[in-house]
Amino acid sequence: HPYLVLVPEGLSAIAMLVVLLRMMGGARIDFDLRYGLFIVALLFTLIAGYMIQDVPDGAMLAGARSYLKFLPFFLLPAVHRFTPKQLQAQLVLVLVLALVQMPLAFYQRFIEFAARMHTGDPVSGTLTTSSTMSMFLVAVIGGCVTFYLRGRLSLRALLVLSACLFLPTTINETKATLLLLPFAIVVPAILTPGKTRQLRKVAPVLGVGFVGVVAFVLVYNSLIQYRQYAGPITEYFTTSETLWYYLYTGAANTDQEYIGRFDSIEIALEHTSQEALKLAFGYAGGNVSESFLPQFNGQYAAYFTRFGVSQTQITTFLWEIGVVG
């Protein structure tokens, strides 16, 4: 329901209220100065963009919501020391939320959006986009690998959890998963200190990663046959024409309608580099974004689809908060 979109804002407001009340009550603030500098830089970038550009009130509110919505959750541990039991409860909650994605993803792909079998884009579980769901689940897999390497999780539990967490990523066709999964597997194995970094423990982890990659390729190739003009995933990495059409079509300098990933970055740089302040701070947060409520659209919301503003996160940042952002 559209109104449920505002639940995170409500929770964020509660968290911010707790932070402020504890600070006013003289609570000890355990906060690294570097985080403070980052927050100041973020606020300065947003405020500078709003001062430089002519931003509608609705877009300004939407932009602040987008960039600052989760800041109170980040600040909460600075004024409240969580106990090990509370941290364990939070980890269990994250795991439950991650596991819920599997039945939802299958429901979305094969029931709710079955008529759109040619694409896995609508498969996002409870998250906002399919790519966000994949990143979230791969991150949780990385957490499971870390617990296994530290002896907190058995190999059998790792295998079961990894399978349940990875399956949703195989049916939403987010190809970046093939790059993200090895990082989630290898990085914990490299960084985990001490005796836990033993070959007998690392070898099964690498096996899990290999099986995951193979499963992704097989499922992707099986489902992609429903899409017109589509081939197996190997074509993206072995056929230069296919890969470059996906990444770069020269849309900035030609009449090509499809905007690739690199095209969107080039277009963003072309428009923002016309003025030094725009290059530095962008068109302001929320000013190049669409909203399901027209009154919250940015002044340059027409650019959103036309120039592929959402093609990559880098593209969005260049448009809205510039190089400084």
Side-chain angles (χ1 to χ4, degrees):
H1 194 280
Y3 288 114
L4 289 179
V5 175
L6 300 177
V7 169
E9 280 77 0
L11 296 175
S12 180
I14 294 173
M16 194 67 224
L17 183 62
V18 171
V19 171
L20 293 175
L21 289 175
R22 284 182 174 267
M23 291 176 64
M24 289 164 44
R28 180 174 177 269
I29 301 176
D30 187 11
F31 197 68
D32 193 302
L33 178 61
R34 290 170 292 182
Y35 288 131
L37 293 175
F38 169 78
I39 294 173
V40 170
L42 174 63
L43 294 175
F44 171 77
T45 303
L46 290 173
I47 293 172
Y50 292 142
M51 293 178 65
I52 294 168
Q53 304 297 330
D54 183 18
V55 187
D57 294 340
M60 192 181 300
L61 183 61
R65 168 180 175 264
S66 176
Y67 289 95
L68 303 177
K69 177 167 54 179
F70 301 110
L71 190 59
F73 298 112
F74 176 79
L75 294 172
L76 195 58
V79 295
H80 177 77
R81 185 171 296 277
F82 291 96
T83 66
K85 187 175 182 180
Q86 289 174 323
L87 291 173
Q88 185 178 21
Q90 292 176 18
L91 288 172
V92 171
L93 175 61
V94 171
L95 180 61
V96 170
L97 291 174
L99 292 174
V100 165
Q101 307 308 313
M102 184 176 71
L104 280 176
F106 277 85
Y107 170 78
Q108 290 170 345
R109 180 77 198 231
F110 300 109
I111 299 177
E112 185 176 5
F113 301 108
R116 300 169 62 180
M117 276 291 290
H118 63 285
T119 177
D121 290 344
V123 181
S124 57
T126 61
L127 288 97
T128 53
T129 64
S130 59
S131 57
T132 304
M133 183 186 75
S134 293
M135 287 189 288
F136 169 59
L137 293 177
V138 169
V140 177
I141 291 175
C144 291
V145 170
T146 302
F147 275 107
Y148 165 72
L149 292 174
R150 290 180 175 273
R152 301 294 184 89
L153 204 64
S154 67
L155 178 59
R156 180 180 299 178
L158 175 66
L159 294 175
V160 173
L161 288 175
S162 297
C164 294
L165 294 169
F166 189 70
L167 280 173
T169 71
T170 65
I171 60 175
N172 68 0
E173 300 171 13
T174 301
K175 289 174 280 294
T177 302
L178 290 178
L179 302 176
L180 296 173
L181 183 63
F183 276 98
I185 298 294
V186 174
V187 170
I190 294 175
L191 298 182
T192 302
K195 296 184 294 183
T196 55
R197 207 170 51 181
Q198 298 175 4
L199 182 61
R200 64 182 180 84
K201 284 206 167 207
V202 174
V205 171
L206 297 178
V208 170
F210 177 77
V211 172
V213 170
V214 172
F216 183 92
V217 171
L218 292 176
V219 174
Y220 181 95
N221 290 343
S222 175
L223 294 175
I224 201 68
Q225 61 182 310
Y226 296 100
R227 180 183 297 182
Q228 190 178 14
Y229 308 122
I233 195 171
T234 50
E235 287 188 2
Y236 283 99
F237 302 100
T238 58
T239 306
S240 59
E241 293 181 1
T242 304
L243 177 62
W244 277 109
Y245 183 80
Y246 181 73
L247 296 177
Y248 185 78
T249 64
N253 305 306
T254 66
D255 294 330
Q256 174 61 246
E257 293 184 2
Y258 179 77
I259 298 176
R261 269 49 173 180
F262 294 159
D263 292 308
S264 66
I265 297 175
E266 182 181 13
I267 293 172
L269 285 172
E270 280 190 1
H271 281 74
T272 56
S273 61
Q274 295 174 4
E275 298 179 24
L277 288 176
K278 281 185 179 179
L279 180 62
F281 299 106
Y283 284 72
N287 208 22
V288 198
S289 297
E290 295 178 339
S291 173
F292 65 91
L293 295 175
Q295 58 267 36
F296 289 93
N297 280 342
Q299 184 179 2
Y300 300 94
Y303 290 3
F304 191 79
T305 301
R306 180 182 174 188
F307 295 135
V309 175
S310 62
Q311 280 285 56
T312 73
Q313 192 66 65
I314 294 175
T315 308
T316 304
F317 285 161
L318 286 173
W319 276 107
E320 294 205 331
I321 54 179
V323 175
V324 175

